[in-house]
Amino acid sequence: MPHKSTITKADVIRAGSIHNKVSKVAEALSGLDSASLGCTVSESTTIVMATKILGKIKDESQAVLDKAEELYKNRDVELINRATLRYWRIQEDTELCKISKHSVQQNFLEKTTELSKQGFSQIEIDAILTDPAPEIEVLELRIKALKTEKMRVEDFLRDVPIYSPELLVGTAVEVTAEAA
């Protein structure tokens, strides 16, 4: 696992898993006394080589973990806070759109029913009332767009420790040039 200048959350998870496993094995190997085990020179060399290889893997994974810690310490807290606020606002906006959609549908149904009771034909009702389908479609598209935006904001907020601002592109969270 070579150390990269940029890392992903998957890199951090992988490095943590590798570091944990390799540390235990490297520690166990370094505690072996090949002479008391009766190892040959070749076997002793193999143990030393394995210990060195595991040490290198451990160091590389530690470098990724150190980079992750550095990124976390230097995270853009203001951007994270704005994204969190937007996340909750998206929830509210979505609920308002759903309520509006239901209201438009109910209003149209009530007016249609009332006009029918007053003896108007369907053709007359259609001429009197405006079809709510375009308004409902706009609300459905808005709900869909909010759902997509919510997923992007969630991706950003789950991107610990990296918090890649690129994940907020296409959202209402304003990302400055230096954050991106």
Side-chain angles (χ1 to χ4, degrees):
M1 158 182 281
H3 179 60
K4 305 184 286 188
S5 61
T6 61
I7 58 173
T8 66
K9 186 175 181 179
D11 293 335
V12 176
I13 292 168
R14 182 171 175 252
S17 176
I18 288 170
H19 189 272
N20 187 32
K21 292 173 185 170
V22 168
S23 293
K24 291 175 185 174
V25 175
E27 187 179 320
L29 273 179
S30 67
L32 287 180
D33 179 11
S34 46
S36 66
L37 291 175
C39 293
T40 65
V41 173
S42 174
E43 291 168 336
S44 293
T45 303
T46 301
I47 291 172
V48 168
M49 293 285 289
T51 304
K52 285 181 181 179
I53 291 169
L54 291 172
K56 183 176 182 249
I57 293 170
K58 178 182 160 195
D59 291 346
E60 289 173 353
S61 63
Q62 184 62 53
V64 172
L65 295 173
D66 291 344
K67 176 70 175 173
E69 185 175 342
E70 175 190 332
L71 288 170
Y72 184 76
K73 285 179 181 176
N74 295 319
R75 69 196 181 281
D76 187 341
V77 175
E78 183 198 342
L79 182 61
I80 294 166
N81 290 340
R82 288 197 329 264
T84 302
L85 289 174
R86 180 61 190 146
Y87 174 83
W88 293 113
R89 183 63 189 191
I90 291 169
Q91 299 282 91
E92 294 170 7
D93 291 350
T94 301
E95 286 307 310
L96 287 173
C97 284
K98 288 177 180 179
I99 290 168
S100 294
K101 178 183 164 189
H102 179 72
S103 177
V104 167
Q105 292 169 324
Q106 277 305 117
N107 192 21
F108 182 75
L109 180 62
E110 289 170 6
K111 286 180 181 178
T112 302
T113 303
E114 183 59 36
L115 290 173
S116 282
K117 287 180 184 178
Q118 293 177 13
F120 288 90
S121 70
Q122 187 60 48
I123 293 172
E124 292 170 318
I125 293 171
D126 290 343
I128 295 170
L129 297 178
T130 304
D131 181 10
E135 187 177 355
I136 291 169
E137 185 177 331
V138 166
L139 289 166
E140 287 173 345
L141 289 172
R142 177 72 179 138
I143 291 168
K144 184 178 177 182
L146 287 166
K147 183 179 178 182
T148 300
E149 181 181 7
K150 180 182 172 190
M151 288 172 33
R152 288 181 179 159
V153 173
E154 285 174 336
D155 289 346
F156 171 77
L157 293 173
R158 281 194 304 257
D159 192 34
V160 178
I162 316 305
Y163 294 106
S164 299
E166 299 83 31
L167 295 171
L168 293 172
V169 171
T171 70
V173 180
E174 191 175 319
V175 178
T176 60
E178 62 268 2

